[in-house]
Amino acid sequence: MQGRTRPLREVAAIVEATDIPILSATDRLQRALLRWVDMCGISGQYKFSGDVEHEMETRDMLDDRTYILGIVGANPSDWPVVWSGDSVSIDAGQLFGPAFTRHTYEPRLLSLLVQEYSDAVRYRRAAARRFSLRSVNLTNAVDQLIFPLRDQNAFDYVLVRGELVSGDLLYEVGEVA
């Protein structure tokens, strides 16, 4: 179609996920990964019964840049934010899809996060990933550890511990990785 142009945002934005070289991650993320290995081995999901927030709090896995999502089907508009730390831009009690979209305005990044979180639950393995949204003028990036959790009653969660790398993405500016 000649004469028709695509919006600059659509052309210029690149959304990607890459593995975090764990030795270059912050001390906070390295400690969280070691704690996870102590809890359930090098891979797998952590199984518990009872309240997920209480369980993760007693395991010392919650802090100001952590959140817990209930994984309910494939639609992130049905995923409750069960708990979120003070420096997370989405609050507990909201639904993840709409809350994330209001904050970032980028549905492709939401789709990428949903895929990564769903894969962690499906394959029962933790992941260490850097998520980036790059455009002409700006790069927003976060490092995240994604831990699959499962209630004994077969309800799935992910525990996400993150660090802001650059820009403005999910976490308030504070300590930059």
Side-chain angles (χ1 to χ4, degrees):
M1 301 176 106
Q2 282 187 314
R4 186 171 178 179
T5 60
R6 292 169 43 178
L8 181 60
R9 177 184 176 99
E10 183 181 334
V11 172
I14 298 170
V15 177
E16 62 189 352
T18 54
D19 290 330
I20 300 171
I22 202 60
L23 293 177
S24 68
T26 63
D27 288 343
R28 181 180 156 272
L29 291 185
Q30 288 178 6
R31 283 191 310 272
L33 186 58
L34 292 174
R35 182 77 185 118
W36 181 260
V37 171
D38 286 345
M39 286 169 51
C40 65
I42 195 69
S43 63
Q45 63 189 183
Y46 182 76
K47 294 184 180 178
F48 66 96
S49 60
D51 179 64
V52 65
E53 179 183 345
H54 175 72
E55 182 69 19
M56 290 298 99
E57 187 173 27
T58 60
R59 299 284 179 185
D60 198 28
M61 291 297 286
L62 302 181
D63 67 15
D64 64 328
R65 288 177 300 247
T66 301
Y67 57 93
I68 301 172
L69 299 178
I71 305 299
V72 182
N75 185 350
S77 294
D78 296 331
W79 294 4
V81 180
V82 177
W83 188 89
S84 66
D86 291 338
S87 295
V88 178
S89 298
I90 53 175
D91 295 322
Q94 298 180 342
L95 295 174
F96 180 66
F100 183 82
T101 303
R102 274 193 305 276
H103 179 71
T104 65
Y105 312 105
E106 182 50 68
R108 293 175 299 163
L109 184 56
L110 174 62
S111 294
L112 183 59
L113 288 170
V114 167
Q115 184 65 50
E116 293 284 339
Y117 296 168
S118 295
D119 283 352
V121 168
R122 180 180 308 114
Y123 300 116
R124 296 184 304 276
R125 72 172 175 248
R129 306 288 277 165
R130 175 166 290 169
F131 296 96
S132 301
L133 171 60
R134 294 184 289 146
S135 63
V136 174
N137 322 345
L138 184 65
T139 298
N140 292 326
V142 294
D143 285 351
Q144 290 190 336
L145 300 179
I146 306 161
F147 301 126
L149 309 172
R150 186 170 187 98
D151 186 326
Q152 298 292 4
N153 296 322
F155 192 76
D156 293 309
Y157 300 91
V158 289
L159 170 72
V160 179
R161 291 181 67 112
E163 294 282 2
L164 183 64
V165 175
S166 64
D168 175 24
L169 192 59
L170 273 177
Y171 305 99
E172 292 178 11
V173 175
E175 180 183 321
V176 176

